[in-house]
């Protein structure tokens, strides 16, 4: 979402001859309206509101959310104002006040931990709802004060250079959908009647770069085959709908020539008719205006409003009104007058908006809703801080370890690099936290040695390492017992609005590392990385004196504590257990052009050649042995596959193992990926212990989009069980079991 500051609007707007007052509560009593009757069903209550709205009132509810909001009060019906949209990606970002900053989403994805994502989302929603309740009491309706989150982001990480990779759950549709499900369920809560905070999966669809290289995201037209659309870009969103999300967000781009927010095939035919989605569609910020300003698809607000409303877009989040005089949806009244949008259509558009507000408890007595009791006091509780540390520790991926980790302590260490002593390791869309809760890598490393020699070397935050002080680096790594090199990207190099031009380390960072290796006398070098998209570090992996490489992503407020624990392995859960949620290419030449939306050569499912690190890869301080895999040799199409196997921690430390199950299709004539993650789970195993693990591969993961629907085809299938992908040259500390089974018959699964 494009971001800008917002100001609370307390004003009277005369729009289409209707005066609208923004206020917290309505001025007219409404106890006798049926929508206040808690004994009635949600649908009956929502319908009672919707049928009473005038065309002018519906226009305002659809047009004013986000920075130009809130959606105004309707005093005659006793309905208060409501602000749409908070950023809740990994904490209550951009809202006034503080909030716990959990690791960035890509790091959370590296945990491969459904339960953890659920608990993180639960903690986020508690803070979001508590702050929202206070905002309403304070009559504060600025943007990002909402109980409706515009999160999670579940687009596929299809290109290593995309600026927003850090916000995703990685490159795999199944993993993204599973973790998105955990997020939605944790965020919205388990109460049988009320939702704690509503979710909104974004950005729908075929949206994964570019931001700005080689063209702007605001005008980009994603050309995608039906097969790639259905099998790669849509599945995570279908899973999100199945999880019960109350919202979806349409994206900036066009899809095969049609803007996403005016795309009836996407918003209505697929999401609502095929999937049964009953929630609301919101535009990304400015996406509706961009249909005019960037796509040049229409040249006026009336035509654009007609197209978007009829396609199924319920809310316009207006963007830059310095160009257009008012939101595009301010033309809806005129559209109805001209007969181009029906009143019935507008009532369909506002219905899910009021359903969402109903489920949040807005129209029920507060004493009925346990979430109405939450306040800002729930922010940054000890439990949430501890959860942030747990999440960060589980997110780190150990890429190389030649006996360098864990450590026990040193005499003198050198700590060098632009990310060594900065708190700018939060990533994009981070909540604001108190200064005392911020930490640096240097703080993590200082207790590990009697003496620390530090040099930044270059300023990544302000000049992208363009100015480099080699002498300070050389001095810091001279006469040491070991050296820690802290490199990465940060939000000035990869984030929303801008892509990376390549996979190179920014500025002089490569030279910095080379200077360390050349002047440290062969002493052990530890490389810690803070980035999202993969970097060109092949030379570092091949260098013998680089004894360990730890991918930390953007761990946010828990950075120092989590890093120290993982390096020392001094608390339970500190053994590295993260796994890469993306393919780390060996060469930049393995990347297709950013604007090419064919999945050929993209992600582990269609990758060609050998990567530096494969999807699902990550080392541990221990080793694991898989054995005794059993399953049915034959299943009927539509049946799940039950697996049972033994898993042993064959090392000397207690640790978590991320079990990964992959399937493959023997029939190469089918439009199938080379291999597909089909199940994953985390298992905590004590040293020397063996456990029996039982998992099921759901039937739908065996389905393929063929012609015009999903089918499970008969034939031979391969199944692989282990701690990594099968058939990889880069091996983790576990084996992979392989077997096969036969699917009999054929089953049509529909057009989901």
């Amino acid at each position: 979402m494009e971001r800008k500051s917002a100001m609370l609007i307390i004003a009277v707007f005369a729009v289409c001859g209707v005066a609208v007052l923004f206020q917290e509560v309505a001025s007219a009593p409404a106890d006798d309206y049926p929508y206040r009757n808690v004994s009635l069903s949600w649908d009956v209550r929502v319908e009672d509101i919707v049928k009473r709205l005038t065309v002018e009132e519906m226009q305002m509810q659809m047009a004013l959310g986000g920075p130009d909001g809130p959606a105004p009060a309707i005093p005659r019906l006793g309905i208060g104002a409501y602000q749409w949209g908070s950023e809740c990606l990994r904490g209550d970002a951009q809202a006034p006040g503080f909030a716990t900053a959990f690791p960035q989403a890509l790091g959370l994805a590296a945990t491969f931990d459904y339960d953890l994502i659920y608990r993180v989302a639960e903690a986020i929603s508690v803070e979001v709802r508590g702050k929202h309740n206070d905002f309403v009491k304070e009559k504060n309706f600025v943007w990002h004060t909402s109980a409706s989150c515009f999160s999670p982001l579940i687009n596929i990480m299809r290109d290593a250079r995309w600026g927003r990779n850090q916000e995703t759950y990685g490159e795999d549709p199944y993993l993204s959908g599973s973790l998105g499900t955990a997020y939605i369920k944790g965020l919205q809560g388990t109460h049988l009647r009320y939702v704690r905070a509503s979710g909104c999966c974004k950005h729908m669809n075929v949206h994964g770069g570019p931001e700005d290289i080689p063209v702007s995201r605001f005008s980009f037209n994603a050309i995608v085959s039906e097969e790639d659309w259905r099998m790669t870009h849509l599945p995570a969103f279908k899973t999100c709908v199945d999880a019960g999300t109350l919202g979806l967000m349409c994206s900036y781009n066009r899809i095969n020539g049609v803007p996403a927010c005016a795309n009836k095939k996407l918003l209505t035919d697929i999401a609502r008719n095929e999937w049964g989605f009953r929630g609301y569609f919101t535009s990304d910020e400015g996406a509706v205006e961009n249909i005019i300003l960037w796509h040049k698809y229409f040249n006026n607000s009336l035509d654009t409003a007609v197209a978007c409303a009829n396609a199924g877009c319920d809310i316009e989040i207006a963007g830059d009104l310095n160009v257009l005089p008012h939101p595009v949806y301010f033309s809806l009244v005129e559209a109805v007058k001209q007969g181009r949008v029906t009143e019935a259509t507008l009532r369909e558009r506002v219905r899910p908006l009021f359903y969402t507000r109903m489920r949040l408890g807005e129209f029920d007595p507060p004493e009925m809703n346990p979430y109405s009791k939450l306040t800002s006091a729930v922010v940054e509780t000890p439990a949430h801080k501890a959860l942030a540390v747990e999440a960060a520790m589980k997110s780190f991926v150990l890429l190389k370890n030649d006996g360098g980790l864990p450590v026990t302590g040193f005499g003198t260490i050198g700590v060098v690099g632009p990310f060594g002593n900065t708190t700018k390791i939060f990533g994009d869309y981070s909540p604001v936290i108190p200064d005392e809760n911020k930490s640096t890598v240097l703080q993590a490393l200082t207790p590990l040695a009697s003496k620390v020699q530090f040099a930044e070397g270059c300023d990544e935050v302000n000049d992208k390492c363009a100015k480099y002080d080699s002498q300070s680096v050389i001095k810091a790594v001279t006469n040491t017992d070991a050296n820690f090199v802290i490199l990465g990207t940060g939000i000035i190099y990869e984030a929303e609005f801008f892509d990376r031009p390549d996979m190179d380390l920014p500025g002089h960072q490569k030279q910095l590392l080379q200077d360390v290796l050349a002047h440290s006398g062969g002493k052990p070098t530890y490389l810690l990385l803070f980035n999202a998209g993969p970097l060109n570090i092949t030379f570092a992996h091949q260098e013998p004196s680089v004894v360990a490489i730890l991918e930390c992503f953007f761990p946010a407020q828990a950075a120092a504590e989590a890093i120290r624990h993982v390096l020392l392995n001094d608390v339970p859960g500190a053994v590295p257990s993260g796994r890469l949620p993306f393919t780390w290419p060996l060469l930049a030449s393995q990347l297709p052009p950013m604007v090419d939306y064919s999945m050929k050569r993209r992600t582990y499912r269609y990758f060609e050649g050998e990567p530096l690190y494969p999807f699902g890869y990550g080392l541990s301080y221990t080793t694991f042995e898989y054995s005794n895999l059993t399953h049915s040799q034959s299943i009927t199409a539509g049946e799940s596959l039950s697996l049972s196997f033994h898993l042993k921690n064959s090392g000397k430390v207690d640790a978590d193992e991320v079990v990964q199950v992959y399937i493959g299709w023997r029939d190469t004539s089918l439009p199938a990926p080379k291999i597909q993650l089909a199940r994953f789970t985390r298992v905590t195993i004590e040293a020397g212990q063996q456990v029996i693990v039982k998992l099921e591969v759901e039937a739908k993961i065996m389905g393929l989009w063929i012609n015009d629907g999903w089918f499970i085809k008969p034939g031979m299938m391969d199944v692989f069980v282990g701690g990594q992908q099968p058939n990889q040259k880069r091996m983790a500390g576990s084996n992979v079991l392989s077997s096969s089974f036969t699917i009999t018959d054929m089953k049509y699964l529909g057009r989901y």
Side-chain angles (χ1 to χ4, degrees), residues 107-145:
L108 293 175
T111 69
F112 278 68
D113 192 334
Y114 182 101
D115 174 70
L116 177 71
I117 305 303
Y118 179 95
R119 289 185 287 124
V120 167
E122 186 176 48
I124 291 169
S125 71
V126 166
E127 296 191 2
V128 167
R129 184 56 183 262
K131 292 173 66 175
H132 167 76
N133 290 343
D134 286 351
F135 291 142
V136 171
K137 293 174 185 176
E138 297 162 1
K139 303 180 182 179
N140 184 350
F141 290 100
V142 300
W143 203 18
H144 306 306
T145 59

Side-chain angles (χ1 to χ4, degrees), residues 368-610:
M368 290 185 62
N369 184 356
Y371 302 136
S372 67
K373 300 177 178 64
L374 295 172
T375 71
S376 298
V378 298
V379 169
E380 287 271 43
T381 62
H384 290 181
K385 291 179 182 178
L387 181 59
V389 174
E390 177 191 350
M393 289 194 301
K394 287 183 173 181
S395 73
F396 298 157
V397 180
L398 186 57
L399 300 175
K400 178 182 180 180
N401 189 22
D402 289 348
L405 293 177
V407 301
T408 56
F410 302 95
T412 300
I413 61 172
V415 179
V416 298
F419 287 91
N421 195 30
T422 177
T423 60
K424 305 297 184 180
I425 48 178
F426 281 66
D428 213 359
Y429 283 102
S430 174
V432 177
I433 68 169
D435 288 342
E436 61 267 24
N437 290 349
K438 297 177 181 178
S439 62
T440 69
V441 181
L442 186 60
Q443 289 174 307
L445 299 178
T446 298
L448 305 185
S450 302
K451 180 181 179 182
V452 177
Q453 300 174 177
F454 173 72
E456 186 180 51
C458 58
D459 186 347
E460 173 63 28
V461 174
N462 295 311
D463 70 0
K464 299 185 179 180
C465 262
K467 299 175 183 178
Y468 173 51
D469 180 4
S470 62
Q471 292 306 309
S472 67
V473 170
I474 293 171
K475 181 179 179 181
V477 300
T478 301
N479 298 321
T480 59
D481 298 309
N483 296 302
F484 289 81
V485 182
I486 321 300
L487 305 180
T489 54
I491 61 173
I492 66 166
Y493 198 74
E494 57 174 337
E496 184 176 11
F497 303 116
F498 42 90
D499 304 304
R500 293 188 298 155
D502 49 47
M503 289 172 41
D504 293 342
L505 287 162
H508 287 279
Q509 289 192 38
K510 181 178 181 180
Q511 183 63 51
L512 187 155
L513 179 54
Q514 290 174 331
D515 282 347
V516 172
L517 299 176
H519 294 90
S520 59
K523 294 298 177 61
T525 296
Y526 298 81
L527 176 59
L528 275 59
L529 297 172
F530 295 84
N531 60 291
L535 298 163
N536 185 356
I537 57 166
T538 302
F539 74 101
H541 189 95
Q542 296 172 343
E543 170 58 48
S545 61
V546 177
V547 296
I549 303 176
L550 186 67
E551 173 58 69
C552 302
F553 302 103
F554 297 117
Q557 72 178 57
E561 187 174 353
I563 290 169
R564 185 173 64 254
H565 287 321
V566 167
L567 295 181
L568 291 169
N569 187 27
D570 61 348
V571 296
V575 173
S577 56
R579 302 292 183 261
L580 285 179
F582 56 80
T583 301
W584 194 305
L586 177 67
L587 303 168
S589 60
Q590 292 174 314
L591 298 176
M594 173 78 83
V595 296
D596 181 0
Y597 261 78
S598 168
M599 288 308 298
K600 184 179 181 181
R601 297 168 53 199
R602 293 194 185 278
T603 76
Y604 79 94
R605 300 164 73 227
Y606 303 98
F607 198 75
E608 296 177 4
E610 289 294 329

